[in-house]
Amino acid sequence: MADDKQLTRLRDQIDSIDDQILALISERARCAQQVAEVKQSAGDAVFYRPEREAQVLRHIMAKNQGPLDNEEMARLFREIMSACLALEQPVKVAFLGPEGTFTQEAALKHFGHSAVTVPLGAIDEVFREVAAGAVNYGVVPVENSTEGMINHTLDTFLDSTLNICGEVELRIHHHLLVGPNTHSDHITRVYSHSQSLAQCRQWLDGHYPKAERIAVSSNAEAAKRIKGEWNSAAIAGDMAAELYGLTKLNEKIEDRPDNSTRFLIIGRDSIPPSGDDKTSIIVAVRNEPGALHNLLEPFHRNGVDLTRVETRPSRTGKWTYVFFIDFLGHRDAPNVSAVLAEVGSIVADLRVLGSYPKAVL
Ligand SMILES: C=C(O[C@@H]1C=C(C(=O)O)C=C[C@H]1O)C(=O)O
């Protein structure tokens, strides 16, 4: 038995600490309200500031001395900021629905749980609703560590004038889910998004080689669909399992344990520097000898680190290659703006998709 007196004393101590935390969070929330008033009187309608939020979280992680780890501590502060912001104006964020997708999880990880998330049926709809001003931001998947680029998202950027305002990385754990009518010995169909089916290919080959694999628009849609079906399973994540009341027959069935997806936050405004930023651009290059070398050389010469170079076929037919390039640094930094000016002068077309804070969490 624990020492009753010692327990009582520790719990009293926790109660008094909680009172202090409560008072401090309230004081912080009042401060954030005043910031909103200052912004409003300056005619600034944008309360949410991604670069400032990234700085707050980085500061917390740098100062944290444990015992909670940096990510855990930052997650708590993420939620405090989200709640403070929602006092003035909850951020409205569109995502690739239905409810329960990994994209929704990414949206909540980035904006916190006080954000209002709006499920939409397709990636281009997310772009459209942001462009129309019906929501403040959108969240779209862009690349998976196992399966590579999500080409549909890249292609949608070709026709869009929206800005990238941030990035989120999410560890993706897939589970094999069933409804009450299905037994593990009688699974003849497995539904999921094509990316998720691909991420679990070897596991499915080993455990359900004969089951038909059916690709649907999202893994949450798969979970929703099998709820009342016989002999059917879905591959989806925790949020979908919980939301649609399904049983996890097998957990973490992704072939690679480090399976993760990167998502982009899209919005209408460009974002000032946060001190640790990335920039994404699209360039169209003429099909001539040395074109790729000439395109990349200025980055190297100016000490700008490339983090990703992706090629897509141009859809106009006019240019042979379109490159999506990500690199470290903000477009306002002198070495980055020098590279952009130089690259702009040699390529057929250059569009800066945005400079944004590097993912903190
Ligand atoms: C308080 C501000 O506004 C919002 C709330 C923040 C916070 O709670 O720390 C940070 C950035 C903004 O999203 C601010 O700009 O400082």
Side-chain angles (χ1 to χ4, degrees):
M1 273 294 276
D3 179 334
D4 280 354
K5 263 199 212 139
Q6 203 183 357
L7 258 188
T8 309
R9 193 169 48 78
L10 286 169
R11 284 179 178 156
D12 285 347
Q13 209 175 332
I14 285 179
D15 286 343
S16 122
I17 294 169
D18 284 349
D19 287 348
Q20 294 173 55
I21 296 175
L22 175 66
L24 287 173
I25 291 177
S26 304
E27 201 177 324
R28 189 192 193 286
R30 280 190 291 273
C31 242
Q33 277 178 315
Q34 286 171 25
V35 172
E37 280 162 26
V38 173
K39 287 178 187 169
Q40 211 154 19
S41 59
D44 188 352
V46 191
F47 295 135
Y48 171 72
R49 302 309 313 225
E51 75 287 5
R52 168 69 184 153
E53 297 208 349
Q55 286 163 349
V56 170
L57 295 179
R58 285 180 198 140
H59 173 77
I60 292 298
M61 290 170 96
K63 278 210 127 175
N64 178 41
Q65 297 193 331
L68 292 182
D69 70 30
N70 285 352
E71 291 219 346
E72 203 59 54
M73 195 57 109
R75 273 200 317 111
L76 295 172
F77 275 83
R78 164 68 284 158
E79 291 302 332
I80 292 174
M81 279 197 289
S82 182
C84 286
L85 183 70
L87 262 182
E88 289 313 307
Q89 188 192 58
V91 203
K92 224 170 152 189
V93 185
F95 67 96
L96 179 61
E99 299 272 348
T101 54
F102 287 112
T103 316
Q104 184 175 28
E105 206 176 316
L108 293 170
K109 181 178 178 189
H110 189 79
F111 289 97
H113 284 69
S114 300
V116 176
T117 51
V118 182
L120 295 176
I123 286 174
D124 8 346
E125 255 182 79
V126 175
F127 275 79
R128 250 199 325 271
E129 289 296 281
V130 177
V135 292
N136 303 104
Y137 295 94
V139 182
V140 290
V142 69
E143 66 180 310
N144 175 264
S145 58
T146 313
E147 277 305 295
M149 300 309 297
I150 290 127
N151 289 330
H152 189 58
T153 298
L154 292 187
D155 290 343
T156 313
F157 271 114
L158 291 175
D159 298 326
S160 163
T161 56
L162 292 177
N163 276 296
I164 301 177
C165 308
E167 61 169 0
V168 203
E169 250 187 60
L170 201 65
R171 283 292 284 272
I172 303 288
H173 295 304
H174 288 305
H175 315 303
L176 190 74
L177 308 175
V178 289
N181 300 336
T182 297
H183 187 268
S184 61
D185 295 339
H186 295 102
I187 294 175
T188 55
R189 285 181 303 272
V190 179
Y191 291 94
S192 196
H193 189 271
S194 58
Q195 285 270 341
S196 313
L197 289 170
Q199 288 163 28
C200 305
R201 187 183 296 124
Q202 289 169 19
W203 189 90
L204 285 171
D205 289 347
H207 292 81
Y208 291 97
K210 294 202 183 109
E212 187 188 355
R213 296 171 202 181
I214 302 166
V216 292
S217 61
S218 70
N219 33 50
E221 173 61 36
K224 194 172 164 186
R225 186 179 290 213
I226 62 144
K227 202 167 160 43
E229 272 196 31
W230 297 80
N231 305 337
S232 297
I235 293 176
D238 283 317
M239 253 181 109
E242 212 168 289
L243 194 66
Y244 299 106
L246 301 172
T247 306
K248 289 186 209 169
L249 269 188
N250 300 87
E251 290 193 46
K252 298 186 178 171
I253 62 168
E254 59 277 3
D255 294 333
R256 293 175 59 109
D258 57 351
N259 188 34
S260 60
T261 296
R262 183 168 162 255
F263 298 83
L264 294 176
I265 314 298
I266 50 171
R268 295 177 298 275
D269 303 315
S270 44
I271 310 300
S274 75
D276 189 8
D277 301 282
K278 262 167 117 170
T279 299
S280 299
I281 61 172
I282 310 183
V283 282
V285 173
R286 291 183 191 90
N287 184 16
E288 44 193 37
L292 180 59
H293 174 264
N294 295 340
L295 168 63
L296 298 182
E297 194 273 332
F299 289 92
H300 177 65
R301 186 163 21 86
N302 286 280
V304 174
D305 283 339
L306 301 174
T307 55
R308 184 170 65 105
V309 178
E310 204 63 42
T311 321
R312 293 288 297 149
S314 147
R315 289 194 299 182
T316 59
K318 202 166 157 197
W319 318 113
T320 311
Y321 305 112
V322 175
F323 290 99
F324 287 84
I325 302 176
D326 288 355
F327 52 87
L328 299 183
H330 193 280
R331 64 192 296 181
D332 292 353
N335 62 336
V336 173
S337 64
V339 171
L340 290 176
E342 195 175 330
V343 166
S345 71
I346 57 169
V347 298
D349 204 2
L350 162 70
R351 191 161 92 73
V352 180
L353 295 177
S355 291
Y356 48 92
K358 253 176 83 179
V360 180
L361 277 175

